[in-house]
Amino acid sequence: MTVRRVMGIETEYGISVPGNPTANPMVLSGRVVTAYATDQGMRAARAGWDYEDEAPLRDARGFEISRVHADPSQLTDEEDPTLANVVLTNGARLYVDHAHPEYSSPEVTTPRAAVAYDRAGEVVMARAVRLLSAPGTPGVNLYKNNTDGKGASYGTHENYLMSRTTPFADIVKHLIPFFVVRQVMCGSGRVGIGVESGKPGFQLAQRSDFFEVEVGLETTLKRPIINTRDEPHATTEKYRRLHVILGDANHCDVANLLKMGTTSLVLALIEAGAITEDLTVDKPVATLQAISHDPTLQTKVSLAGGRQMTALQLLWRYHELVADWLDTTYGSDVDEDTAEVMRHWEQVLTTLERDPMDAARQVDWVAKLATLEGYRARDGLDWGNPKLRQIDIQWSDVRPDKGLFHRLAAAGRFDELVSAEDVQHAVTAPPSDTRAYFRGMCLTKFPREVAAASWDSVIFDIPGQSSLQRVPTLEPERGTRAHVGQLLEESATAQDLLRSLEALPPTDTGR
């Protein structure tokens, strides 16, 4: 149990048409998905997702909400036939989620891989924007952010596979304090305070003001710090998928690595029962927002028993707990992926403690604040000036020549962990060490025969067969290159592949 586990990132992108604020975002989002799918030679799969095993109303606390009483936004297992939905050759899902185009990365096993495939999503979206920007058309702009600054928020969700044997109450108890303070390292920064940005100012995180409760099943209403959706997309008896809706969309590689890596390590502590002290935060929702509103990082966090410390001090305590556990469990044999996260965690906390503004190369909110302060100093702008909100939005523009982050990154202003070459590889090739390999390679090799897919299945439409052929992939670490790579290479047709799969032990593909 180290930093390595099956994980992934889902990102909803902000969308607009220049000069036309009333354009229908659902229609626009469909155009984004269809344009990219058509460009890549894929069937624009309106029925391209297999919903058979999805259960969005099942709650980790042991019950299931009635569909009659569910908010429509929760019914993610119902396909709208007017919306585009496609699985990419890298194993990712590109589709319309409510009013936004969403890129859901394939399953990976390390934070570094999560960063690579998250950045691959940016390349996909930038390509779609270029395809829709033909001469004489208004075009479409996409933004990797989490709020429009006018009261709407959209998500960047993380997913972590966990053991089903870990009590959910333990996850809630030990993860809420960490999530309350994690934004100090991983927030993306935002102009404006409050849901509708009504109060002038700058804050650490884009999402914090939109959260209302500690625990719950919702993702768009009464947003909870801990989401209770119990939909593992894997063998239910063995696994739990922790669905995290609290985080921001990151551009900085280091911050993104820390978001995924430190969370995975804290989950490992929880699974091992290694958190032996009570770090419960008093009034966690209010504290989450108070910390976000304070770029000086001096806000005090009140803990159980009357203790008080800053967010940085609480993050240091989690770091110490993880470091002690790793040393006791692995000594000098800790894997490099875990060691990398621990190095960056210590370095970023040390830098933020010395002077938050010194972390501009690693932390999104610091980099954005430094840029905004430059404009404020140059033009004499106060925090209520609408120009600063425009700069905030422009920061996350996916176009390399327009997005402020991308322009600064091209100038070498940030620490890059994943090369542009590795990102480009991730745009089309699946990870080799999860079931995403089987899914992605099937789409690459047999695009005409794959009728649909999901996280836990691939469905084939074989000529001459009277019914569709569904291959379950319930084990996320099966269906890898090591398991089925040679079989895929040796199969000239999809029918050959299915015959060969029938001859394999069920566990080799995760059936």
Short mmCIF file of all heavy atoms in Angstrom, two decimals, residues 72-110:
data_model
loop_
_atom_site.label_atom_id
_atom_site.label_comp_id
_atom_site.label_asym_id
_atom_site.label_seq_id
_atom_site.Cartn_x
_atom_site.Cartn_y
_atom_site.Cartn_z
N PRO A 72 -32.53 15.18 -11.22
CA PRO A 72 -32.16 14.70 -12.57
C PRO A 72 -30.65 14.68 -12.83
O PRO A 72 -30.17 13.84 -13.59
CB PRO A 72 -32.87 15.71 -13.49
CG PRO A 72 -34.04 16.17 -12.70
CD PRO A 72 -33.57 16.21 -11.27
N SER A 73 -29.92 15.58 -12.19
CA SER A 73 -28.47 15.62 -12.39
C SER A 73 -27.78 14.37 -11.87
O SER A 73 -26.63 14.08 -12.25
CB SER A 73 -27.88 16.86 -11.73
OG SER A 73 -27.99 16.79 -10.31
N GLN A 74 -28.45 13.62 -10.99
CA GLN A 74 -27.86 12.42 -10.42
C GLN A 74 -28.03 11.20 -11.31
O GLN A 74 -27.35 10.18 -11.10
CB GLN A 74 -28.48 12.13 -9.04
CG GLN A 74 -28.16 13.17 -7.98
CD GLN A 74 -28.86 12.85 -6.68
OE1 GLN A 74 -30.03 13.15 -6.50
NE2 GLN A 74 -28.14 12.22 -5.77
N LEU A 75 -28.90 11.27 -12.29
CA LEU A 75 -29.21 10.11 -13.12
C LEU A 75 -28.21 9.99 -14.27
O LEU A 75 -28.56 10.11 -15.45
CB LEU A 75 -30.65 10.20 -13.62
CG LEU A 75 -31.71 10.31 -12.53
CD1 LEU A 75 -33.10 10.45 -13.14
CD2 LEU A 75 -31.65 9.11 -11.59
N THR A 76 -26.99 9.74 -13.92
CA THR A 76 -25.92 9.66 -14.93
C THR A 76 -25.90 8.34 -15.67
O THR A 76 -25.06 8.14 -16.56
CB THR A 76 -24.55 9.88 -14.25
OG1 THR A 76 -24.37 8.89 -13.23
CG2 THR A 76 -24.45 11.26 -13.65
N ASP A 77 -26.81 7.43 -15.35
CA ASP A 77 -26.89 6.16 -16.06
C ASP A 77 -27.97 6.18 -17.13
O ASP A 77 -28.31 5.14 -17.71
CB ASP A 77 -27.17 5.02 -15.08
CG ASP A 77 -28.44 5.22 -14.27
OD1 ASP A 77 -28.94 6.36 -14.23
OD2 ASP A 77 -28.94 4.22 -13.70
N GLU A 78 -28.52 7.36 -17.41
CA GLU A 78 -29.50 7.50 -18.48
C GLU A 78 -28.89 8.32 -19.60
O GLU A 78 -28.46 9.46 -19.39
CB GLU A 78 -30.77 8.20 -17.97
CG GLU A 78 -31.57 7.38 -16.99
CD GLU A 78 -32.86 8.07 -16.59
OE1 GLU A 78 -33.05 9.24 -16.99
OE2 GLU A 78 -33.67 7.46 -15.88
N GLU A 79 -28.85 7.74 -20.78
CA GLU A 79 -28.22 8.44 -21.90
C GLU A 79 -29.23 9.33 -22.60
O GLU A 79 -30.33 8.90 -22.94
CB GLU A 79 -27.63 7.44 -22.89
CG GLU A 79 -26.92 8.14 -24.04
CD GLU A 79 -26.06 7.18 -24.84
OE1 GLU A 79 -26.40 5.98 -24.88
OE2 GLU A 79 -25.06 7.61 -25.41
N ASP A 80 -28.85 10.56 -22.82
CA ASP A 80 -29.64 11.48 -23.62
C ASP A 80 -29.25 11.26 -25.08
O ASP A 80 -28.10 11.50 -25.46
CB ASP A 80 -29.33 12.92 -23.19
CG ASP A 80 -30.21 13.93 -23.91
OD1 ASP A 80 -30.69 13.62 -25.02
OD2 ASP A 80 -30.39 15.03 -23.37
N PRO A 81 -30.17 10.81 -25.92
CA PRO A 81 -29.81 10.49 -27.31
C PRO A 81 -29.38 11.70 -28.12
O PRO A 81 -28.86 11.55 -29.21
CB PRO A 81 -31.09 9.87 -27.87
CG PRO A 81 -32.19 10.40 -27.01
CD PRO A 81 -31.59 10.54 -25.64
N THR A 82 -29.59 12.91 -27.61
CA THR A 82 -29.17 14.10 -28.35
C THR A 82 -27.72 14.46 -28.07
O THR A 82 -27.19 15.36 -28.71
CB THR A 82 -30.05 15.31 -27.97
OG1 THR A 82 -29.78 15.67 -26.59
CG2 THR A 82 -31.51 15.00 -28.13
N LEU A 83 -27.08 13.76 -27.12
CA LEU A 83 -25.74 14.16 -26.71
C LEU A 83 -24.69 13.18 -27.23
O LEU A 83 -24.94 11.99 -27.40
CB LEU A 83 -25.66 14.25 -25.18
CG LEU A 83 -26.63 15.23 -24.53
CD1 LEU A 83 -26.42 15.25 -23.03
CD2 LEU A 83 -26.48 16.63 -25.11
N ALA A 84 -23.49 13.70 -27.45
CA ALA A 84 -22.40 12.90 -27.99
C ALA A 84 -21.66 12.20 -26.87
O ALA A 84 -21.52 12.73 -25.77
CB ALA A 84 -21.46 13.79 -28.80
N ASN A 85 -21.14 11.03 -27.18
CA ASN A 85 -20.50 10.20 -26.16
C ASN A 85 -19.56 9.23 -26.88
O ASN A 85 -20.02 8.42 -27.68
CB ASN A 85 -21.58 9.43 -25.40
CG ASN A 85 -21.05 8.81 -24.12
OD1 ASN A 85 -19.86 8.55 -23.98
ND2 ASN A 85 -21.97 8.55 -23.20
N VAL A 86 -18.27 9.32 -26.64
CA VAL A 86 -17.33 8.48 -27.37
C VAL A 86 -16.22 8.02 -26.45
O VAL A 86 -15.85 8.72 -25.50
CB VAL A 86 -16.77 9.24 -28.59
CG1 VAL A 86 -15.89 10.40 -28.17
CG2 VAL A 86 -16.02 8.31 -29.53
N VAL A 87 -15.71 6.81 -26.70
CA VAL A 87 -14.55 6.30 -25.99
C VAL A 87 -13.35 6.46 -26.91
O VAL A 87 -13.40 6.11 -28.09
CB VAL A 87 -14.74 4.82 -25.60
CG1 VAL A 87 -13.54 4.34 -24.80
CG2 VAL A 87 -16.01 4.66 -24.79
N LEU A 88 -12.25 7.00 -26.37
CA LEU A 88 -11.07 7.29 -27.17
C LEU A 88 -10.09 6.12 -27.16
O LEU A 88 -10.16 5.24 -26.30
CB LEU A 88 -10.39 8.55 -26.64
CG LEU A 88 -11.26 9.79 -26.50
CD1 LEU A 88 -10.42 10.98 -26.04
CD2 LEU A 88 -11.98 10.11 -27.80
N THR A 89 -9.17 6.14 -28.12
CA THR A 89 -8.21 5.05 -28.22
C THR A 89 -7.24 5.00 -27.04
O THR A 89 -6.58 3.98 -26.83
CB THR A 89 -7.40 5.15 -29.52
OG1 THR A 89 -6.72 6.42 -29.54
CG2 THR A 89 -8.31 5.03 -30.73
N ASN A 90 -7.14 6.07 -26.27
CA ASN A 90 -6.29 6.03 -25.07
C ASN A 90 -7.04 5.49 -23.85
O ASN A 90 -6.51 5.47 -22.74
CB ASN A 90 -5.70 7.41 -24.76
CG ASN A 90 -6.74 8.42 -24.31
OD1 ASN A 90 -7.94 8.17 -24.34
ND2 ASN A 90 -6.27 9.59 -23.88
N GLY A 91 -8.28 5.05 -24.07
CA GLY A 91 -9.08 4.49 -22.99
C GLY A 91 -9.93 5.50 -22.24
O GLY A 91 -10.67 5.14 -21.33
N ALA A 92 -9.85 6.78 -22.62
CA ALA A 92 -10.61 7.83 -21.95
C ALA A 92 -12.03 7.91 -22.50
O ALA A 92 -12.34 7.36 -23.56
CB ALA A 92 -9.91 9.18 -22.12
N ARG A 93 -12.87 8.63 -21.78
CA ARG A 93 -14.24 8.90 -22.23
C ARG A 93 -14.37 10.39 -22.51
O ARG A 93 -14.00 11.23 -21.67
CB ARG A 93 -15.25 8.49 -21.15
CG ARG A 93 -16.72 8.68 -21.56
CD ARG A 93 -17.64 8.41 -20.36
NE ARG A 93 -19.04 8.47 -20.75
CZ ARG A 93 -20.07 8.47 -19.89
NH1 ARG A 93 -19.82 8.42 -18.58
NH2 ARG A 93 -21.32 8.53 -20.31
N LEU A 94 -14.90 10.73 -23.67
CA LEU A 94 -15.16 12.12 -24.05
C LEU A 94 -16.65 12.23 -24.32
O LEU A 94 -17.18 11.57 -25.22
CB LEU A 94 -14.35 12.49 -25.30
CG LEU A 94 -14.51 13.91 -25.84
CD1 LEU A 94 -13.98 14.94 -24.85
CD2 LEU A 94 -13.79 14.05 -27.18
N TYR A 95 -17.34 13.07 -23.54
CA TYR A 95 -18.80 13.10 -23.66
C TYR A 95 -19.34 14.42 -23.14
O TYR A 95 -18.59 15.30 -22.69
CB TYR A 95 -19.42 11.93 -22.92
CG TYR A 95 -19.42 12.00 -21.41
CD1 TYR A 95 -20.62 12.09 -20.69
CD2 TYR A 95 -18.24 11.98 -20.67
CE1 TYR A 95 -20.64 12.15 -19.31
CE2 TYR A 95 -18.24 12.03 -19.30
CZ TYR A 95 -19.44 12.12 -18.61
OH TYR A 95 -19.45 12.18 -17.24
N VAL A 96 -20.66 14.56 -23.21
CA VAL A 96 -21.34 15.74 -22.69
C VAL A 96 -21.92 15.40 -21.33
O VAL A 96 -22.74 14.48 -21.20
CB VAL A 96 -22.45 16.21 -23.64
CG1 VAL A 96 -23.16 17.43 -23.05
CG2 VAL A 96 -21.88 16.53 -25.02
N ASP A 97 -21.50 16.13 -20.31
CA ASP A 97 -22.02 15.95 -18.96
C ASP A 97 -22.82 17.20 -18.61
O ASP A 97 -22.24 18.25 -18.31
CB ASP A 97 -20.88 15.75 -17.96
CG ASP A 97 -21.37 15.35 -16.58
OD1 ASP A 97 -22.60 15.27 -16.39
OD2 ASP A 97 -20.54 15.13 -15.68
N HIS A 98 -24.14 17.06 -18.69
CA HIS A 98 -25.04 18.20 -18.49
C HIS A 98 -24.74 19.28 -19.53
O HIS A 98 -25.02 19.10 -20.69
CB HIS A 98 -24.96 18.72 -17.06
CG HIS A 98 -25.22 17.65 -16.03
ND1 HIS A 98 -26.39 16.94 -15.98
CD2 HIS A 98 -24.43 17.15 -15.04
CE1 HIS A 98 -26.34 16.06 -15.00
NE2 HIS A 98 -25.17 16.15 -14.42
N ALA A 99 -24.12 20.37 -19.15
CA ALA A 99 -23.90 21.46 -20.10
C ALA A 99 -22.42 21.69 -20.39
O ALA A 99 -22.02 22.77 -20.80
CB ALA A 99 -24.51 22.75 -19.56
N HIS A 100 -21.62 20.65 -20.23
CA HIS A 100 -20.17 20.80 -20.42
C HIS A 100 -19.59 19.60 -21.14
O HIS A 100 -20.02 18.46 -20.91
CB HIS A 100 -19.47 20.93 -19.06
CG HIS A 100 -19.91 22.10 -18.26
ND1 HIS A 100 -19.33 23.34 -18.37
CD2 HIS A 100 -20.90 22.24 -17.34
CE1 HIS A 100 -19.93 24.18 -17.55
NE2 HIS A 100 -20.89 23.54 -16.91
N PRO A 101 -18.60 19.83 -22.01
CA PRO A 101 -17.85 18.69 -22.52
C PRO A 101 -16.93 18.18 -21.41
O PRO A 101 -16.31 18.97 -20.70
CB PRO A 101 -17.04 19.29 -23.68
CG PRO A 101 -16.89 20.73 -23.33
CD PRO A 101 -18.13 21.11 -22.55
N GLU A 102 -16.89 16.88 -21.24
CA GLU A 102 -16.06 16.30 -20.17
C GLU A 102 -15.07 15.29 -20.75
O GLU A 102 -15.43 14.46 -21.59
CB GLU A 102 -16.93 15.62 -19.12
CG GLU A 102 -16.10 14.94 -18.03
CD GLU A 102 -16.92 14.41 -16.87
OE1 GLU A 102 -17.82 15.13 -16.40
OE2 GLU A 102 -16.65 13.27 -16.44
N TYR A 103 -13.85 15.36 -20.26
CA TYR A 103 -12.82 14.37 -20.57
C TYR A 103 -12.55 13.60 -19.29
O TYR A 103 -12.10 14.16 -18.30
CB TYR A 103 -11.55 15.06 -21.07
CG TYR A 103 -10.36 14.13 -21.22
CD1 TYR A 103 -10.13 13.45 -22.41
CD2 TYR A 103 -9.46 13.96 -20.18
CE1 TYR A 103 -9.03 12.61 -22.56
CE2 TYR A 103 -8.36 13.11 -20.30
CZ TYR A 103 -8.15 12.45 -21.50
OH TYR A 103 -7.07 11.62 -21.64
N SER A 104 -12.85 12.30 -19.32
CA SER A 104 -12.58 11.42 -18.19
C SER A 104 -11.39 10.55 -18.55
O SER A 104 -11.47 9.73 -19.47
CB SER A 104 -13.79 10.54 -17.85
OG SER A 104 -14.87 11.33 -17.41
N SER A 105 -10.30 10.71 -17.83
CA SER A 105 -9.07 10.02 -18.18
C SER A 105 -9.22 8.51 -18.01
O SER A 105 -10.08 8.04 -17.26
CB SER A 105 -7.92 10.51 -17.31
OG SER A 105 -7.94 9.90 -16.03
N PRO A 106 -8.38 7.74 -18.69
CA PRO A 106 -8.36 6.30 -18.43
C PRO A 106 -7.82 6.01 -17.04
O PRO A 106 -7.18 6.88 -16.41
CB PRO A 106 -7.42 5.77 -19.52
CG PRO A 106 -6.51 6.92 -19.81
CD PRO A 106 -7.37 8.14 -19.68
N GLU A 107 -8.04 4.80 -16.56
CA GLU A 107 -7.51 4.39 -15.27
C GLU A 107 -5.99 4.26 -15.35
O GLU A 107 -5.46 3.65 -16.28
CB GLU A 107 -8.10 3.04 -14.85
CG GLU A 107 -9.62 2.97 -14.90
CD GLU A 107 -10.13 2.46 -16.24
OE1 GLU A 107 -9.62 2.91 -17.30
OE2 GLU A 107 -11.03 1.61 -16.24
N VAL A 108 -5.30 4.84 -14.38
CA VAL A 108 -3.84 4.73 -14.29
C VAL A 108 -3.50 4.25 -12.88
O VAL A 108 -4.37 4.09 -12.03
CB VAL A 108 -3.16 6.08 -14.59
CG1 VAL A 108 -3.45 6.53 -16.01
CG2 VAL A 108 -3.61 7.16 -13.59
N THR A 109 -2.21 4.02 -12.62
CA THR A 109 -1.82 3.51 -11.31
C THR A 109 -0.84 4.41 -10.57
O THR A 109 -0.46 4.08 -9.45
CB THR A 109 -1.19 2.11 -11.43
OG1 THR A 109 -0.02 2.19 -12.27
CG2 THR A 109 -2.18 1.12 -12.02
N THR A 110 -0.45 5.54 -11.15
CA THR A 110 0.47 6.45 -10.47
C THR A 110 0.01 7.89 -10.65
O THR A 110 -0.62 8.23 -11.66
CB THR A 110 1.91 6.32 -11.00
OG1 THR A 110 1.96 6.82 -12.35
CG2 THR A 110 2.39 4.88 -10.96
#
